[in-house]
Short mmCIF file of all heavy atoms in Angstrom, two decimals:
data_model
loop_
_atom_site.label_atom_id
_atom_site.label_comp_id
_atom_site.label_asym_id
_atom_site.label_seq_id
_atom_site.Cartn_x
_atom_site.Cartn_y
_atom_site.Cartn_z
N PRO L 262 87.30 103.27 95.75
CA PRO L 262 86.39 103.58 94.51
C PRO L 262 85.16 102.59 94.55
O PRO L 262 85.18 101.49 95.02
CB PRO L 262 87.30 103.05 93.31
CG PRO L 262 88.71 103.09 93.87
CD PRO L 262 88.60 102.74 95.36
N LYS L 263 84.03 103.10 93.98
CA LYS L 263 82.82 102.42 94.05
C LYS L 263 83.05 101.00 93.36
O LYS L 263 83.65 100.87 92.35
CB LYS L 263 81.80 103.21 93.20
CG LYS L 263 80.34 102.87 93.39
CD LYS L 263 79.40 103.82 92.82
CE LYS L 263 77.92 103.58 93.12
NZ LYS L 263 77.56 102.24 92.57
N GLY L 264 82.45 99.98 94.00
CA GLY L 264 82.54 98.70 93.52
C GLY L 264 83.89 97.89 93.78
O GLY L 264 84.09 96.80 93.24
N THR L 265 84.77 98.61 94.45
CA THR L 265 86.09 98.04 94.63
C THR L 265 86.32 97.89 96.15
O THR L 265 86.15 98.83 96.91
CB THR L 265 87.20 98.96 94.08
OG1 THR L 265 86.88 99.07 92.68
CG2 THR L 265 88.51 98.38 94.21
N TRP L 266 86.85 96.71 96.48
CA TRP L 266 87.28 96.63 97.89
C TRP L 266 88.83 96.39 97.90
O TRP L 266 89.38 96.13 96.89
CB TRP L 266 86.57 95.53 98.68
CG TRP L 266 86.87 94.13 98.16
CD1 TRP L 266 87.97 93.41 98.20
CD2 TRP L 266 85.90 93.22 97.54
NE1 TRP L 266 87.80 92.15 97.66
CE2 TRP L 266 86.53 92.01 97.23
CE3 TRP L 266 84.53 93.28 97.18
CZ2 TRP L 266 85.91 90.83 96.60
CZ3 TRP L 266 83.94 92.18 96.56
CH2 TRP L 266 84.61 90.97 96.37
N VAL L 267 89.48 96.56 99.12
CA VAL L 267 90.82 96.32 99.33
C VAL L 267 90.97 95.42 100.52
O VAL L 267 90.05 95.24 101.35
CB VAL L 267 91.57 97.76 99.53
CG1 VAL L 267 91.52 98.51 98.29
CG2 VAL L 267 90.97 98.49 100.77
N SER L 268 92.17 94.84 100.77
CA SER L 268 92.39 94.13 101.95
C SER L 268 93.07 94.96 103.01
O SER L 268 94.06 95.70 102.78
CB SER L 268 93.28 92.93 101.66
OG SER L 268 92.68 92.09 100.53
N MET L 269 92.56 94.83 104.26
CA MET L 269 93.18 95.50 105.45
C MET L 269 93.13 94.59 106.60
O MET L 269 92.14 93.83 106.82
CB MET L 269 92.34 96.69 105.72
CG MET L 269 92.73 98.11 105.04
SD MET L 269 91.50 99.46 105.25
CE MET L 269 91.80 99.92 106.95
N GLY L 270 94.19 94.67 107.42
CA GLY L 270 94.23 93.96 108.68
C GLY L 270 93.43 94.73 109.72
O GLY L 270 93.89 95.90 109.99
N VAL L 271 92.44 94.21 110.26
CA VAL L 271 91.56 94.92 111.21
C VAL L 271 91.14 93.99 112.33
O VAL L 271 91.22 92.73 112.21
CB VAL L 271 90.23 95.51 110.56
CG1 VAL L 271 90.66 96.57 109.46
CG2 VAL L 271 89.37 94.45 109.91
N TYR L 272 90.65 94.59 113.45
CA TYR L 272 90.25 93.76 114.58
C TYR L 272 89.03 93.04 114.16
O TYR L 272 87.98 93.52 113.84
CB TYR L 272 89.99 94.67 115.83
CG TYR L 272 89.92 93.97 117.06
CD1 TYR L 272 90.90 93.16 117.53
CD2 TYR L 272 88.64 94.03 117.79
CE1 TYR L 272 90.82 92.51 118.75
CE2 TYR L 272 88.53 93.31 118.98
CZ TYR L 272 89.59 92.59 119.46
OH TYR L 272 89.49 91.87 120.63
N SER L 273 89.15 91.66 114.34
CA SER L 273 88.04 90.82 113.84
C SER L 273 86.71 91.03 114.67
O SER L 273 86.71 90.98 115.93
CB SER L 273 88.37 89.36 113.88
OG SER L 273 87.31 88.52 113.63
N ASP L 274 85.58 91.17 113.93
CA ASP L 274 84.30 91.21 114.71
C ASP L 274 83.50 89.87 114.54
O ASP L 274 82.42 89.76 114.80
CB ASP L 274 83.47 92.28 114.11
CG ASP L 274 83.13 92.10 112.56
OD1 ASP L 274 83.65 91.09 112.00
OD2 ASP L 274 82.25 92.83 112.07
N GLY L 275 84.27 88.84 114.13
CA GLY L 275 83.66 87.57 114.00
C GLY L 275 83.09 87.25 112.55
O GLY L 275 82.57 86.17 112.26
N SER L 276 83.24 88.26 111.71
CA SER L 276 82.77 88.06 110.26
C SER L 276 83.43 86.80 109.68
O SER L 276 84.60 86.55 109.94
CB SER L 276 83.20 89.31 109.39
OG SER L 276 82.47 90.39 109.75
N TYR L 277 82.78 86.15 108.83
CA TYR L 277 83.29 84.96 108.10
C TYR L 277 83.80 83.86 109.05
O TYR L 277 84.68 83.10 108.71
CB TYR L 277 84.39 85.37 107.08
CG TYR L 277 83.81 86.28 105.97
CD1 TYR L 277 83.94 87.64 106.01
CD2 TYR L 277 83.15 85.67 104.90
CE1 TYR L 277 83.43 88.37 104.97
CE2 TYR L 277 82.64 86.46 103.92
CZ TYR L 277 82.76 87.85 103.90
OH TYR L 277 82.26 88.68 102.98
N GLY L 278 83.23 83.85 110.28
CA GLY L 278 83.65 82.82 111.27
C GLY L 278 85.07 82.96 111.75
O GLY L 278 85.64 81.98 112.27
N VAL L 279 85.68 84.17 111.49
CA VAL L 279 87.08 84.35 112.07
C VAL L 279 86.85 84.71 113.47
O VAL L 279 86.11 85.54 113.86
CB VAL L 279 87.68 85.50 111.25
CG1 VAL L 279 89.04 85.90 111.92
CG2 VAL L 279 87.89 85.08 109.80
N PRO L 280 87.62 84.09 114.35
CA PRO L 280 87.56 84.39 115.74
C PRO L 280 87.79 85.92 116.12
O PRO L 280 88.58 86.51 115.44
CB PRO L 280 88.49 83.46 116.49
CG PRO L 280 89.41 82.93 115.40
CD PRO L 280 88.63 83.08 114.24
N GLU L 281 87.01 86.34 117.11
CA GLU L 281 87.29 87.71 117.57
C GLU L 281 88.59 87.68 118.39
O GLU L 281 89.04 86.63 118.82
CB GLU L 281 86.16 88.21 118.41
CG GLU L 281 84.79 88.41 117.65
CD GLU L 281 83.63 88.71 118.58
OE1 GLU L 281 83.87 89.38 119.52
OE2 GLU L 281 82.53 88.31 118.19
N GLY L 282 89.12 88.89 118.60
CA GLY L 282 90.27 88.99 119.39
C GLY L 282 91.63 88.83 118.72
O GLY L 282 92.73 88.75 119.30
N ILE L 283 91.55 88.87 117.39
CA ILE L 283 92.84 88.98 116.52
C ILE L 283 92.68 90.00 115.45
O ILE L 283 91.52 90.34 115.09
CB ILE L 283 93.22 87.50 115.95
CG1 ILE L 283 92.01 86.93 115.10
CG2 ILE L 283 93.74 86.56 117.03
CD1 ILE L 283 92.32 85.63 114.37
N PHE L 284 93.76 90.49 114.95
CA PHE L 284 93.83 91.39 113.79
C PHE L 284 93.94 90.40 112.58
O PHE L 284 94.93 89.66 112.53
CB PHE L 284 94.86 92.34 113.85
CG PHE L 284 94.50 93.67 114.66
CD1 PHE L 284 94.40 93.60 115.99
CD2 PHE L 284 94.16 94.79 113.93
CE1 PHE L 284 94.02 94.68 116.77
CE2 PHE L 284 93.80 95.95 114.69
CZ PHE L 284 93.69 95.93 116.11
N TYR L 285 92.99 90.48 111.69
CA TYR L 285 92.88 89.57 110.53
C TYR L 285 92.64 90.33 109.29
O TYR L 285 91.93 91.35 109.35
CB TYR L 285 91.70 88.65 110.83
CG TYR L 285 91.69 87.37 110.06
CD1 TYR L 285 92.28 86.15 110.43
CD2 TYR L 285 90.92 87.37 108.81
CE1 TYR L 285 92.05 85.10 109.68
CE2 TYR L 285 90.81 86.29 108.01
CZ TYR L 285 91.41 85.03 108.45
OH TYR L 285 91.33 83.91 107.63
N SER L 286 93.24 89.98 108.23
CA SER L 286 93.07 90.68 106.98
C SER L 286 91.72 90.23 106.30
O SER L 286 91.45 89.10 106.05
CB SER L 286 94.15 90.45 106.02
OG SER L 286 93.92 91.14 104.72
N PHE L 287 90.86 91.28 105.99
CA PHE L 287 89.51 91.09 105.40
C PHE L 287 89.47 91.94 104.23
O PHE L 287 90.12 92.94 104.08
CB PHE L 287 88.44 91.53 106.37
CG PHE L 287 88.23 90.62 107.59
CD1 PHE L 287 88.78 90.93 108.92
CD2 PHE L 287 87.43 89.49 107.49
CE1 PHE L 287 88.38 90.14 109.91
CE2 PHE L 287 87.04 88.68 108.60
CZ PHE L 287 87.60 89.01 109.74
N PRO L 288 88.47 91.64 103.37
CA PRO L 288 88.14 92.65 102.27
C PRO L 288 87.27 93.80 102.96
O PRO L 288 86.36 93.58 103.78
CB PRO L 288 87.25 91.78 101.31
CG PRO L 288 86.63 90.73 102.14
CD PRO L 288 87.63 90.44 103.29
N VAL L 289 87.62 94.98 102.73
CA VAL L 289 86.99 96.08 103.25
C VAL L 289 86.74 97.17 102.23
O VAL L 289 87.41 97.37 101.19
CB VAL L 289 87.72 96.78 104.45
CG1 VAL L 289 88.05 95.83 105.59
CG2 VAL L 289 88.99 97.48 103.98
N THR L 290 85.57 97.97 102.41
CA THR L 290 85.39 99.23 101.71
C THR L 290 85.46 100.30 102.71
O THR L 290 85.23 100.13 103.90
CB THR L 290 84.00 99.23 101.01
OG1 THR L 290 82.96 98.92 101.96
CG2 THR L 290 83.88 98.16 99.89
N CYS L 291 85.92 101.53 102.15
CA CYS L 291 85.94 102.64 103.11
C CYS L 291 85.26 103.80 102.54
O CYS L 291 85.16 104.04 101.33
CB CYS L 291 87.48 103.07 103.15
SG CYS L 291 88.58 101.66 103.55
N GLU L 292 84.62 104.55 103.50
CA GLU L 292 83.86 105.70 103.16
C GLU L 292 83.91 106.71 104.36
O GLU L 292 83.78 106.28 105.51
CB GLU L 292 82.44 105.30 102.93
CG GLU L 292 81.64 106.31 102.00
CD GLU L 292 80.11 105.92 101.81
OE1 GLU L 292 79.81 104.78 102.13
OE2 GLU L 292 79.41 106.74 101.43
N LYS L 293 84.18 107.98 104.01
CA LYS L 293 84.28 109.00 105.09
C LYS L 293 85.18 108.59 106.26
O LYS L 293 84.87 108.79 107.40
CB LYS L 293 82.90 109.25 105.63
CG LYS L 293 81.81 109.83 104.52
CD LYS L 293 80.64 110.51 105.24
CE LYS L 293 79.77 111.04 104.26
NZ LYS L 293 78.78 110.15 103.72
N GLY L 294 86.25 108.01 105.89
CA GLY L 294 87.29 107.69 106.94
C GLY L 294 86.93 106.50 107.80
O GLY L 294 87.61 106.22 108.74
N GLU L 295 85.93 105.68 107.39
CA GLU L 295 85.63 104.44 108.17
C GLU L 295 85.76 103.21 107.26
O GLU L 295 85.20 103.32 106.17
CB GLU L 295 84.25 104.54 108.74
CG GLU L 295 83.90 105.83 109.62
CD GLU L 295 84.57 105.74 110.97
OE1 GLU L 295 84.93 104.64 111.35
OE2 GLU L 295 84.67 106.86 111.58
N TRP L 296 86.26 102.27 107.75
CA TRP L 296 86.29 100.92 106.88
C TRP L 296 85.15 100.06 107.39
O TRP L 296 84.70 100.11 108.50
CB TRP L 296 87.67 100.18 107.15
CG TRP L 296 87.97 99.98 108.59
CD1 TRP L 296 88.88 100.68 109.29
CD2 TRP L 296 87.62 98.85 109.32
NE1 TRP L 296 88.99 100.19 110.49
CE2 TRP L 296 88.21 99.01 110.60
CE3 TRP L 296 86.78 97.76 109.21
CZ2 TRP L 296 87.94 98.16 111.63
CZ3 TRP L 296 86.55 96.90 110.22
CH2 TRP L 296 87.22 97.12 111.46
N SER L 297 84.61 99.18 106.48
CA SER L 297 83.74 98.20 106.92
C SER L 297 84.01 96.90 106.16
O SER L 297 84.40 97.01 104.86
CB SER L 297 82.25 98.55 106.85
OG SER L 297 81.97 99.25 105.67
N ILE L 298 83.86 95.87 106.78
CA ILE L 298 84.20 94.56 106.21
C ILE L 298 83.06 94.19 105.14
O ILE L 298 81.86 94.22 105.46
CB ILE L 298 84.31 93.48 107.21
CG1 ILE L 298 85.44 93.71 108.24
CG2 ILE L 298 84.48 92.03 106.65
CD1 ILE L 298 85.53 92.82 109.45
N VAL L 299 83.48 93.84 104.01
CA VAL L 299 82.57 93.34 102.91
C VAL L 299 81.90 92.01 103.32
O VAL L 299 82.58 91.12 103.82
CB VAL L 299 83.35 93.06 101.60
CG1 VAL L 299 82.38 92.52 100.55
CG2 VAL L 299 84.01 94.43 101.09
N GLN L 300 80.64 92.08 103.37
CA GLN L 300 79.89 90.90 103.88
C GLN L 300 79.35 90.02 102.68
O GLN L 300 79.21 90.50 101.58
CB GLN L 300 78.68 91.28 104.77
CG GLN L 300 79.12 92.09 105.87
CD GLN L 300 79.94 91.22 106.99
OE1 GLN L 300 79.79 89.96 107.03
NE2 GLN L 300 80.83 91.94 107.74
#
Side-chain angles (χ1 to χ4, degrees):
K263 199 167 181 298
T265 301
W266 66 67
V267 295
S268 302
M269 270 169 74
V271 298
Y272 192 62
S273 172
D274 64 352
S276 291
Y277 294 100
V279 172
E281 293 176 32
I283 53 177
F284 276 74
Y285 192 92
S286 179
F287 286 101
V289 301
T290 53
C291 308
E292 205 185 341
K293 298 197 177 87
E295 306 285 341
W296 52 264
S297 45
I298 297 174
V299 174
Q300 298 295 334

